[in-house]
Amino acid sequence: MIDISNYEAWFITGSQHLYGPETLEEVARHSQEIAKELGTKLPINIVYKPVLTGPQEIYKLMQEANNTPNCVGLIAWMHTFSPAKMWINGLKILQKPLAHLHTQYNRDIPWDAIDMDFMNTNQSAHGDREFGFIGSRMRLSRKVIVGHWQSEDVRERLSIWSRVASAWADWQGAKFVRFGDNMRYVAVTEGDKVEAEIKFGYEVNTYGIGDLVAEVNAVTDEQIAGLVATYEQEYELGDNLKEGGEKRESLRDAARIELGMRKFLTDRNAKGFTDTFEDLHGMKQLPGIATQRLMADGYGFGGEGDWKTSALVRAMKVMGAGLPGGNSFMEDYTYHFAPGNEQVLGSHMLEICPTIAEGKVRAEIHPLGIGGKEDPVRLVFNCPAGPALNATIVDMGNRFRMIVNTVEAVAPEQDLPNLPVARVLWKVHPDMKTGLAAWILAGGAHHTGYSQNLTSEYLEDFAEMAGIEYLIIDEDTKLRTFKNELRFNEVAFKG
Ligand code: MN
């Protein structure tokens, strides 16, 4: 469902008139070549823009970038020296993410041929410093990427930035639907929705569950039969859900819920949602398989009214669009404290996204202790071993804080035959005690976005674009340093 291939980043090159038309033509040729080459390597389109040599054209280009919906950001490079006061008014109005590519056309110094003409054209080593200064002087959020443009490393940095910029663009004006309020008394899933819309660009609004129920009740038998056939095709059904099984009607109820929810969300052009077991009036089951399949199609989700996590899961899915592996709503559920083999079991009551599954996915029905509704149908599966991470955004009252913990997912050592939900096991970085202490000291939520295909660099870039606090807990984390970072950030984000 998520396709970022229509998004574009503009490749802009700074220079000035001082060099004369010949040099500027060469600069333009080089830039065109770089933009074209990067365009073939990056997940979004790279659009070459004519070389910028004066403040009016810079200002005009920034206006155009702001007003081009598909433009997710600018990649700037100063091939020659571009006096940066020319950039002030343009950068002042720029509302799109900025990547400063600190590169040069030639990889190597042409030792035998180099002369002052060559030096005159190829001076990004100091031209980019002038641009860097004005960025810092104006306190601009941006990503600085250093290296030769043909190197794998630079492409990877740019690829990550362009995916993150796409997720940021996707958030602007995005709609997240809340079915019911936050779970009663829960603190961390609360937050300032007005501030979130100001800061992040997405809206969060509540809809009465009755409006969803009306949509669910309007689903036809024919539609239900079609979706049940899809379930049969895609999943291994528990015996009692099969044709003639005693719970077959519950599978049809689950399909009805999915069809109703899908229509409700599609009609409102929503990109994610929340629900809560405390507000299911008129619903037969807490949505399980429905939520799981909607997540797999790209919708963000947060349980118990957790709209911040719903939006974050959506953003992570956009960043990871088309990459192998998946992104899911997650909750740290229970611990394995065996010395030397400490693990976290991540899961939720029902709602783990099957994009992170490994092996067979079973559709099963089991009782659910809370919610007071009929047994919900859910997808049950394991998840593969490998590097992963958990990310959360919490509202600290005066600011939003993102916390990321890199983890190593491990294959389950046992079968867990009685656990009726999807599950994933992981080892926390840098180690169980340090990682969990840091997470708890930072106020990290019990809900997260769990990712198999994003590194912490994605989330760091995202926090930078959003202008929010970012805390990483990874293999390098030392608790004493981390505690100081928390203290220092209280000052850095004061106001
Ligand atoms: Mn939960």
Side-chain angles (χ1 to χ4, degrees), residues 380-416:
V380 181
F381 49 84
N382 285 318
C383 296
L389 60 75
N390 280 301
T392 182
I393 294 177
V394 295
D395 185 340
M396 294 298 291
N398 65 342
R399 65 186 186 274
F400 290 104
R401 163 183 282 173
M402 177 184 279
I403 307 151
V404 175
N405 185 198
T406 58
V407 303
E408 185 70 26
V410 293
E413 291 161 16
Q414 310 284 337
D415 270 349
L416 303 93

Side-chain angles (χ1 to χ4, degrees), residues 91-306:
L91 289 172
K92 228 163 76 180
I93 61 158
L94 179 64
Q95 291 161 352
K96 301 280 169 102
L98 176 66
H100 181 182
L101 177 60
H102 185 39
T103 191
Q104 66 183 15
Y105 179 70
N106 54 301
R107 192 193 72 174
D108 298 339
I109 292 176
W111 303 108
D112 294 333
I114 189 167
D115 56 12
M116 277 320 287
D117 281 347
F118 181 91
M119 298 271 274
N120 196 35
T121 313
N122 300 280
Q123 48 177 305
S124 53
H126 69 279
D128 269 332
R129 290 173 196 234
E130 169 76 353
F131 188 69
F133 167 74
I134 207 63
S136 296
R137 175 67 178 78
M138 295 175 70
R139 274 74 173 173
L140 289 185
S141 276
R142 76 271 197 206
K143 181 171 193 170
V144 177
I145 298 168
V146 181
H148 192 247
W149 53 280
Q150 284 173 315
S151 72
E152 203 47 55
D153 175 66
V154 163
R155 285 171 189 164
E156 178 64 10
R157 305 280 81 71
L158 272 172
S159 172
I160 289 173
W161 174 84
S162 57
R163 287 177 168 280
V164 174
S166 300
W168 181 249
D170 181 75
W171 259 16
Q172 306 314 304
K175 294 181 170 70
F176 291 91
V177 165
R178 302 165 79 223
F179 296 119
D181 204 341
N182 296 51
M183 181 179 165
R184 283 188 284 275
Y185 302 112
V186 175
V188 77
T189 56
E190 289 284 357
D192 185 338
K193 297 191 286 292
V194 173
E195 184 62 23
E197 188 159 348
I198 294 168
K199 200 82 191 163
F200 299 133
Y202 63 70
E203 65 172 69
V204 184
N205 284 301
T206 302
Y207 292 82
I209 195 75
D211 293 338
L212 173 59
V213 168
E215 210 63 83
V216 168
N217 289 343
V219 170
T220 66
D221 286 347
E222 198 182 353
Q223 287 175 294
I224 293 172
L227 186 53
V228 167
T230 303
Y231 292 168
E232 282 171 333
Q233 208 166 29
E234 292 186 17
Y235 314 115
E236 194 174 286
L237 261 51
D239 282 343
N240 56 358
L241 294 178
K242 288 179 181 161
E243 180 92 65
E246 56 175 310
K247 294 284 187 179
R248 182 68 170 187
E249 198 52 32
S250 296
L251 188 69
R252 290 171 45 80
D253 290 339
R256 173 186 288 282
I257 291 171
E258 178 181 336
L259 289 158
M261 288 180 87
R262 200 177 281 276
K263 178 153 194 314
F264 192 99
L265 296 169
T266 309
D267 284 353
R268 284 153 189 84
N269 202 18
K271 291 178 174 173
F273 65 101
T274 70
D275 62 15
T276 168
F277 62 88
E278 287 174 337
D279 192 351
L280 294 173
H281 194 77
M283 299 277 284
K284 279 196 171 174
Q285 308 171 11
L286 175 65
I289 189 172
T291 296
Q292 292 177 294
R293 285 170 49 82
L294 286 163
M295 250 194 288
D297 285 340
Y299 286 97
F301 174 75
E304 295 94 49
D306 189 348

